[in-house]
Amino acid sequence: ILKQYVIPSDVLREMLKIYQMIGKGDVYKDSLTSKEEVLKNRSLELDTYLLADFIGLNISENRMRLILTKDSNPRSKEEQILRNIKDVLKIIRTNAKKYTFNGSDILDYLNRIFGSGTHKFSSEKSSVSGRNSKNQASNRLIFEKTVESYHEYFLKDTFEHLHLSIVAYLEMVQIKPFTNHNELASILVLYYMILRSNID
């Protein structure tokens, strides 16, 4: 599913900068000491805020700040979704380096965010190889095969991890395996893959 690709030289240069920062990770951690946890929490809050903005939650800045930083109790459905996004991102951060993920995990995350039973796998089918192909498969199957290929290539170091993550993300955006919120699902997958690639 994920075909061989070539990394353009300008992209490679940018990736080398990222790997230089990853290589200095231990030095950063030593210098941060007690601030590391504070920065991780701040990053989690910012990531949650950005996803809430992405899906268009209508919550005042004050209420958003209280829920994200003070764990204030949600008063509305949208505030509960905000809290749920933060909880899901925490789960992904905890699990990313320990466990692989599959389509059912992403479906579970969507249902945790929006409420149990709100999301299902789509029953739509797409061409397996190319637009004019007569071979049709369910979008769920194509999605699962893409995830499987990603994990296989990642574990075997077949391709560079960061670039593999981006290519897998772009493939998954096109698949649309769920009944709704496919863009958010793809971002959750990308979040997971970036953390697996040691981008903390």
Side-chain angles (χ1 to χ4, degrees):
I1 295 262
L2 297 171
K3 297 177 178 67
Q4 187 172 0
Y5 55 84
V6 176
I7 302 175
S9 59
D10 59 331
V11 173
L12 186 57
R13 276 195 302 275
E14 292 301 315
M15 289 168 58
L16 287 173
K17 291 178 191 174
I18 293 170
Y19 276 108
Q20 284 176 335
M21 292 186 76
I22 292 173
K24 295 176 184 173
D26 289 337
V27 175
Y28 293 142
K29 281 186 178 185
D30 290 343
S31 65
L32 290 171
T33 58
S34 61
K35 292 181 184 174
E36 181 183 359
E37 206 56 41
V38 173
L39 288 174
K40 282 185 178 179
N41 287 335
R42 180 67 186 115
S43 174
L44 178 64
E45 291 162 8
L46 180 59
D47 294 342
T48 304
Y49 176 85
L50 292 172
L51 282 182
D53 185 54
F54 176 76
I55 63 173
L57 291 183
N58 187 17
I59 303 170
S60 72
E61 287 291 325
N62 187 48
R63 287 296 300 155
M64 195 171 285
R65 183 182 54 76
L66 287 172
I67 292 166
L68 293 180
T69 62
K70 307 291 185 198
D71 287 328
S72 179
N73 288 328
R75 295 181 185 164
S76 68
K77 184 177 180 182
E78 289 201 340
E79 289 183 3
Q80 185 60 55
I81 289 171
L82 177 69
R83 164 75 63 80
N84 295 345
I85 290 171
K86 185 176 178 183
D87 291 344
V88 163
L89 293 183
K90 277 186 193 173
I91 292 168
I92 293 173
R93 282 173 173 244
T94 302
N95 292 346
K97 292 182 184 171
K98 297 180 199 171
Y99 310 110
T100 58
F101 68 93
N102 60 31
S104 295
D105 293 322
I106 305 305
L107 178 62
D108 178 54
Y109 296 153
L110 290 175
N111 282 316
R112 281 177 189 245
I113 291 171
F114 295 101
S116 182
T118 55
H119 290 72
K120 295 183 269 197
F121 280 105
S122 169
S123 58
E124 289 185 30
K125 293 187 175 187
S126 297
S127 297
V128 176
S129 57
R131 239 185 249 191
N132 299 323
S133 173
K134 292 182 182 175
N135 296 332
Q136 296 275 309
S138 74
N139 287 356
R140 177 182 183 172
L141 179 63
I142 297 169
F143 181 78
E144 295 289 7
K145 292 265 187 202
T146 303
V147 170
E148 193 178 295
S149 296
Y150 162 77
H151 289 307
E152 179 185 340
Y153 294 154
F154 188 95
L155 291 173
K156 290 182 178 177
D157 288 327
T158 306
F159 301 118
E160 192 284 323
H161 290 176
L162 286 179
H163 208 258
L164 173 64
S165 300
I166 300 300
V167 171
Y169 164 74
L170 292 173
E171 292 268 344
M172 290 175 194
V173 165
Q174 300 300 316
I175 297 168
K176 298 181 174 52
F178 305 107
T179 49
N180 51 6
H181 290 108
N182 284 291
E183 297 85 0
L184 176 61
S186 297
I187 290 173
L188 294 175
V189 170
L190 180 61
Y191 196 76
Y192 196 109
M193 293 188 295
I194 286 174
L195 289 169
R196 274 183 72 74
S197 301
N198 294 320
I199 306 296
D200 296 318

